[in-house]
Amino acid sequence: MRAAHAIAAALAAALLPLPAFAQAPGQANTPAIVMFLIFIVATMYITYWAAKRTRTTSDFYTAGGGITGFQNGLAIAGDYLSAASFLGIAGMVYVSGFDGMIYAIGFLFGWPVVMFLIAERLRNLGRYNFADVTSYRLSETPLRVLAASASLLVIALYLIAQMVGAGKLIVLLFGIRYELAVVIVGALMILYVGFGGMTATTWVQIIKAVLMLFGATLMAFLVLAAFKFNPDAMLAEAVRVHPTGSAIMAPGSQVSSNPLNALSLGIALAFGTAGLPHILMRFFTVPNAKEARKSVIWASSFIGYFYLLTFIIGFGGIALLVRNPQFFEVASDGSFDMIKGLIGGTNMVAVHLANAVGGSLLLGFLAAVTFATIVAVVAGLTLAGAAAISHDLYANVFARGKATEAKQLKISRISTVTLGVIAILLGIVFENQNVAFMVGLAFAVAASANFPVLVLSIAWRGCTTRGATIGGFIGLFVATLWVVLSSTVWVDVFGNAAPIVPFPNPGILSIPLAFVAIWLFSTLDRSQRAVQERAAFDALRVRSETGIGASSASDH
């Protein structure tokens, strides 16, 4: 742990003289710096404590399976309520009003799918990640290659959103260069995961969830207090000052402008949750299926409550921020554009609103909470990526199950550092993307590649290795190609004049295509291996529904 202390000290030293790196329009915020340092010190201690308990691969990937349902529900909420949930959705409500909640509704809708189709069976069938489940009765090598490929792409897209959110936040508050801000987040994430594994990641996520729920509740309370707890007055003021007027209260503009894209987005958000590797991985941290179900119930409650608060925060931002020109880039005549002129962009609506209703102290607290949010999510993503590389690819594909635990842990930590560097680079390249939108694309890929394979492998007797592999890769390839050819990458990143595909979300095509391909190629598979896989379905069903033979929690 000397390395951890050395890096922590270096980070603290880098943070203290932050104003020296100032670039307009950011300025250092003393309460934010203090609270950031408190959070960093506290989480470094957790990492030190967790590192002493992380002795096996089970400890590293699943915290030994000893987390309770309530704790795991909080940790899932901490993992799921990302920068997109807080910064992105509040910013989308600020821009488009009621329509901005389409992402929140979609994010929340996925949890019943997880509850009734996935959670219990996942815990009963797997040990470390969802690839253990898909390869339970199917051929291990092709399924793990597919799972690792899809997971790493989903993680990359998700990481972009978190790193962009973190970078913009720190630039706004500390006035440092964006690139340096992203490097700081990446370094902290490498520390948490590399040394503390799932135990440290879990407790960082729990602390972050508690702080975030408290901070959002306090913000919503102060916003409503500004209008004497009259939501109608807040909404009326928002309509009065917004450039589009009453249109912000008329849902449907995102749907009517391109119905296929809206439907595509809705499908991806509904089913993407059940394909997110870092969320599915959390169900292996509890001791049994009963605690897995409790996890979903608690997580759904916390997440649903939080999204109600983002509605208030978004509309509160519309109504209150225009009263504070200091949050905008003001022209020489004193005018400003409330949408395009917001300092730091619309992803910073919640941060500016905290300053408006609570001053620098609440701003500092919210900044620390948002920073904790991003680091916790990035840590969870990185851990899932390390599992895909070390457990799926190295241990079970290249080493064919003969790798020692010590070697797996070493590969996991090397993977963590590598993913951290990649996350930093992606955060810099995609600096100007809306974070909620980028997460929407990650959901689309997860719903296209992981979800169909996972569901059909545990729920349909006829699913075979050939069908699952071909169908999964088709979903992955189509979703990826569509994203690359869309305005998100083809125009915004590559600089082309127009996208090749008509809308950015691929789910309406890639998800049904994956299901149909799995069905078709499984049905046509008459090999002896396919016969054995269909016959093994009965044993899978018994274990998935009863838990007989499932891995148990480790003792500590």
Side-chain angles (χ1 to χ4, degrees):
M1 282 305 295
R2 290 180 180 177
H5 289 305
I7 299 176
L11 284 171
L15 283 169
L16 288 175
L18 288 176
F21 297 95
Q23 288 190 348
Q27 291 184 344
N29 180 286
T30 301
I33 294 175
V34 172
M35 293 183 187
F36 265 56
L37 290 176
I38 290 173
F39 172 76
I40 290 171
V41 170
T43 51
M44 283 295 113
Y45 176 78
I46 291 172
T47 304
Y48 173 75
W49 166 79
K52 295 190 293 184
R53 299 166 61 92
T54 303
R55 299 183 294 271
T56 66
T57 50
S58 176
D59 295 335
F60 188 83
Y61 292 132
T62 67
I67 305 298
T68 68
F70 176 76
Q71 291 170 341
N72 199 42
L74 265 177
I76 289 173
D79 207 352
Y80 196 74
L81 295 175
S82 63
S85 299
F86 193 38
L87 302 180
I89 292 177
M92 295 185 81
V93 173
Y94 179 84
V95 172
S96 52
F98 192 93
D99 245 22
M101 292 299 292
I102 189 172
Y103 275 86
I105 295 169
F107 288 150
L108 185 60
F109 184 77
W111 284 103
V113 177
V114 175
M115 176 70 179
F116 293 108
L117 291 181
I118 302 296
E120 182 176 348
R121 293 183 175 189
L122 203 70
R123 180 60 188 85
N124 285 337
L125 291 170
R127 287 192 67 196
Y128 297 147
N129 62 6
F130 81 97
D132 295 337
V133 177
T134 58
S135 60
Y136 182 84
R137 68 182 177 98
L138 305 180
S139 182
E140 192 167 39
T141 300
L143 265 298
R144 288 194 184 277
V145 171
L146 169 63
S149 302
S151 296
L152 289 173
L153 179 58
V154 171
I155 288 165
L157 287 169
Y158 223 113
L159 276 174
I160 291 170
Q162 311 313 313
M163 300 304 285
V164 170
K168 293 291 187 181
L169 174 71
I170 297 177
V171 167
L172 180 70
L173 293 165
F174 291 164
I176 65 173
R177 293 177 59 87
Y178 174 80
E179 294 81 2
L180 177 60
V182 172
V183 169
I184 291 172
V185 177
L188 282 171
M189 170 266 291
I190 291 170
L191 282 174
Y192 297 147
V193 178
F195 289 98
M198 181 59 87
T199 303
T201 300
T202 295
W203 283 103
V204 169
Q205 288 167 344
I206 289 173
I207 292 170
K208 166 255 170 155
V210 172
L211 292 176
M212 193 171 196
L213 289 167
F214 172 77
T217 301
L218 179 60
M219 273 190 66
F221 176 86
L222 292 174
V223 167
L224 291 175
F227 296 95
K228 299 180 180 179
F229 299 98
N230 184 351
D232 289 340
M234 177 187 72
L235 297 175
E237 179 67 8
V239 168
R240 188 184 70 80
V241 302
H242 199 275
T244 60
S246 59
I248 62 172
M249 297 305 298
S253 61
Q254 289 195 31
V255 176
S256 60
S257 61
N258 196 325
L260 285 178
N261 186 56
L263 179 60
S264 187
L265 171 64
I267 295 173
L269 295 181
F271 299 117
T273 304
L276 294 175
H278 64 298
I279 297 297
L280 297 179
M281 197 172 177
R282 291 230 54 90
F283 292 109
F284 302 108
T285 65
V286 293
N288 51 52
K290 179 181 178 181
E291 294 300 312
R293 289 193 300 272
K294 286 183 180 179
S295 299
V296 179
I297 294 171
W298 281 114
S300 301
S301 302
F302 294 133
I303 294 167
Y305 170 71
F306 181 82
Y307 284 145
L308 289 176
L309 299 178
T310 60
F311 182 82
I312 299 173
I313 292 169
F315 275 100
I318 298 173
L320 296 175
L321 289 186
V322 292
R323 303 177 183 177
N324 299 270
Q326 69 267 28
F327 300 137
F328 299 88
E329 296 174 358
V330 182
S332 56
D333 61 356
S335 64
F336 57 85
D337 187 322
M338 71 170 290
I339 303 297
K340 297 180 181 179
L342 192 67
I343 294 174
T346 55
N347 287 328
M348 292 295 105
V349 167
V351 178
H352 288 308
L353 184 62
N355 196 4
V357 298
S360 60
L361 192 60
L362 182 58
L363 173 63
F365 174 78
L366 186 73
V369 170
T370 307
F371 183 74
T373 294
I374 294 168
V375 171
V377 175
V378 167
L381 288 165
T382 306
L383 192 59
I389 295 172
S390 175
H391 180 60
D392 293 334
L393 294 180
Y394 171 74
N396 289 288
V397 174
F398 299 122
R400 299 189 179 278
K402 298 179 181 179
T404 63
E405 286 205 347
K407 187 67 173 178
Q408 284 192 63
L409 277 174
K410 181 179 179 180
I411 297 296
S412 297
R413 286 176 168 136
I414 293 174
S415 302
T416 298
V417 175
T418 304
L419 288 169
V421 173
I422 293 173
I424 290 169
L425 295 176
L426 289 174
I428 293 172
V429 171
F430 288 85
E431 177 181 354
N432 296 314
Q433 284 294 320
N434 179 278
V435 291
F437 180 73
M438 292 304 298
V439 169
L441 296 181
F443 272 68
V445 175
S448 304
N450 292 342
F451 176 68
V453 174
L454 181 59
V455 168
L456 292 183
S457 67
I458 63 177
W460 180 41
R461 180 187 298 274
C463 184
T464 68
T465 298
R466 183 181 302 172
T469 305
I470 295 175
F473 272 115
I474 286 175
L476 176 63
F477 177 77
V478 171
T480 304
L481 182 63
W482 190 283
V483 170
V484 171
L485 298 178
S486 72
S487 58
T488 306
V489 177
W490 195 251
V491 176
D492 296 343
V493 178
F494 293 160
N496 293 293
I500 295 177
V501 295
F503 50 85
N505 288 289
I508 195 170
L509 175 66
S510 56
I511 298 171
L513 197 59
F515 273 102
V516 170
I518 294 172
W519 170 81
L520 177 63
F521 289 103
S522 293
T523 302
L524 296 176
D525 189 357
R526 305 297 182 185
S527 64
Q528 182 60 37
R529 173 72 190 182
V531 173
Q532 296 172 353
E533 289 168 352
R534 294 184 182 104
F537 180 77
D538 290 326
L540 176 145
R541 183 168 62 181
V542 169
R543 174 161 163 174
S544 69
E545 294 180 358
T546 65
I548 296 174
S551 60
S552 58
S554 301
D555 293 328
H556 286 293

